[in-house]
Amino acid sequence: MEHSRIREINLTVPVEFVLLGFSDIPKLHWYLFGIFLFVYVIILLGNGIIILITRVEPTLQTPMYFFISNFSFLEICYVTVTLPRMLMDLCTLKGNISFHACAIQMCFFLILGATECFFLAVMAYDRYVAICNPLYYHLIMSHKVCNQLVFGSWVTGIPIQVGQTYQILSLPFCKSKQLNHFFCDIPPLLKLACGDIFVNEMIVYIFAVLIVTVPFMLILVSYSKIISTILKLSSNTGRKKAFSTCSSHIIVVVLFYGSASITYLKPKSDVYEGTDKLLSLFYTILTPVFNPLIYSLRNKDVTGALKKFFPRLFAL
């Protein structure tokens, strides 16, 4: 009797998990390694250049580019939580990850994901003030306020997501230790848990609604007021310029929120595990890739700064 109880306890505290990742297509692992390594380098270079030019170019010393610079730094951190580990797994064809390493990865991933949601809402508010209250823009979006908004975005999600991580990894895991994913995330971990986890699933859902939906609603409110203001402008040139300053942010919001919302707010199912991994690639990798492209190619100020920056860089 005592032996079976000890065995049951051991089953509830796994030593490690196994990330299956892309093990179902082993023949392509070197191609995937090359693709994801290239993507990682592009993310580091692209977002790094955005951070650099917003620091050195005087014309980009504005609140909007201050937020874009911080957002680019966030994207680098966000992708570094998952991609290097995935590259190592593709290289070694081993997906073993210790329980504590899995907990740390998931905790940082959730914190940075929450921070991205808040950042996107802050950037929408910045555009709202710039377009709807242009005369008071620099007064409202002072250096102190911008720093407070950035700091708030970084720290707001920390206690929530640390609690999320603890409550998920405190569950009994008595099924297979194989995670059908390329990093430790809530949906695949919940699929391994045994017993009645309805309360845990509801907590995850409630927090997802709070962290994903509330900032998204703030973004919708900001843009509804922005669009209303733009439509009242008499000049077509003014309308076009106002829309162009918002379009880049809207594209990033749609890419990130679209895939993240489907992943975390859809009903639990074993049928669409491959789709879950594909959607995860969107909000963990593709958004950080597109971020510098979207904000540079669609922005005349950034392209102008790049044209001045690179000749100076190569002249050194």
Side-chain angles (χ1 to χ4, degrees):
M1 183 73 177
E2 190 67 29
H3 176 73
S4 63
R5 187 177 298 171
I6 293 170
R7 187 182 172 195
E8 185 180 344
I9 292 169
N10 287 338
L11 283 170
T12 63
V13 186
V15 176
E16 65 176 15
F17 293 103
V18 179
L19 295 168
L20 296 180
F22 302 96
S23 59
D24 52 334
I25 43 174
K27 292 181 180 179
L28 297 178
H29 76 280
W30 283 117
Y31 294 103
L32 292 172
F33 177 83
I35 291 169
F36 288 129
L37 179 61
F38 176 75
V39 166
Y40 188 47
V41 171
I42 291 296
I43 289 169
L44 295 180
L45 286 176
N47 286 287
I49 288 170
I50 293 289
I51 294 168
L52 188 58
I53 63 166
T54 53
R55 290 285 188 271
V56 301
E57 183 57 45
T59 59
L60 302 182
Q61 303 295 314
T62 64
M64 182 177 86
Y65 295 108
F66 174 72
F67 291 129
I68 289 174
S69 173
N70 278 277
F71 188 70
S72 292
F73 175 70
L74 171 64
E75 294 286 53
I76 290 172
C77 296
Y78 187 59
V79 79
T80 300
V81 172
T82 56
L83 247 182
R85 171 79 210 193
M86 183 167 63
L87 289 171
M88 187 183 75
D89 291 343
L90 284 168
C91 188
T92 61
L93 288 179
K94 294 178 181 178
N96 300 65
I97 182 169
S98 71
F99 180 83
H100 292 103
C102 184
I104 292 167
Q105 184 187 52
M106 188 170 81
C107 188
F108 275 102
F109 176 78
L110 292 175
I111 289 169
L112 292 169
T115 304
E116 184 147 351
C117 291
F118 297 136
F119 248 112
L120 291 170
V122 165
M123 291 166 79
Y125 174 70
D126 171 68
R127 292 298 82 210
Y128 158 73
V129 177
I131 292 170
C132 300
N133 296 287
L135 297 177
Y136 299 99
Y137 177 62
H138 289 287
L139 184 64
I140 296 171
M141 301 303 291
S142 65
H143 185 67
K144 181 181 178 182
V145 170
C146 290
N147 282 324
Q148 287 173 341
L149 288 170
V150 168
F151 180 76
S153 298
W154 277 99
V155 303
T156 302
I158 291 176
I160 298 172
Q161 301 298 22
V162 169
Q164 276 268 72
T165 303
Y166 179 78
Q167 72 108 0
I168 294 297
L169 291 169
S170 297
L171 291 170
F173 295 100
C174 51
K175 297 180 183 178
S176 167
K177 303 302 181 290
Q178 294 182 331
L179 286 170
N180 192 12
H181 216 317
F182 54 88
F183 67 96
C184 289
D185 198 7
I186 291 175
L189 277 166
L190 282 176
K191 288 174 183 175
L192 299 187
C194 60
D196 185 7
I197 58 168
F198 176 77
V199 174
N200 303 90
E201 289 177 322
M202 287 307 299
I203 292 171
V204 169
Y205 192 83
I206 290 166
F207 281 139
V209 168
L210 286 173
I211 290 171
V212 175
T213 308
V214 172
F216 185 67
M217 293 306 294
L218 293 173
I219 292 169
L220 287 180
V221 170
S222 296
Y223 275 108
S224 64
K225 293 183 177 181
I226 287 169
I227 292 168
S228 176
T229 302
I230 290 173
L231 293 176
K232 291 175 184 176
L233 296 175
S234 55
S235 167
N236 284 331
T237 306
R239 288 181 189 174
K240 192 176 290 186
K241 186 177 179 181
F243 271 122
S244 68
T245 62
C246 300
S247 58
S248 301
H249 182 252
I250 292 170
I251 293 168
V252 173
V253 167
V254 170
L255 280 172
F256 180 77
Y257 272 98
S259 53
S261 299
I262 294 170
T263 301
Y264 286 97
L265 299 179
K266 71 175 179 58
K268 183 182 175 182
S269 173
D270 296 325
V271 180
Y272 303 108
E273 288 186 340
T275 308
D276 288 348
K277 281 195 280 189
L278 188 62
L279 286 168
S280 297
L281 285 174
F282 265 94
Y283 65 84
T284 57
I285 297 173
L286 292 184
T287 303
V289 169
F290 289 139
N291 178 45
L293 294 174
I294 291 166
Y295 282 119
S296 60
L297 297 178
R298 298 183 59 84
N299 191 303
K300 291 181 180 179
D301 293 335
V302 175
T303 52
L306 287 170
K307 287 175 183 176
K308 289 190 287 183
F309 173 73
F310 281 115
R312 282 186 295 178
L313 181 67
F314 291 120
L316 294 175

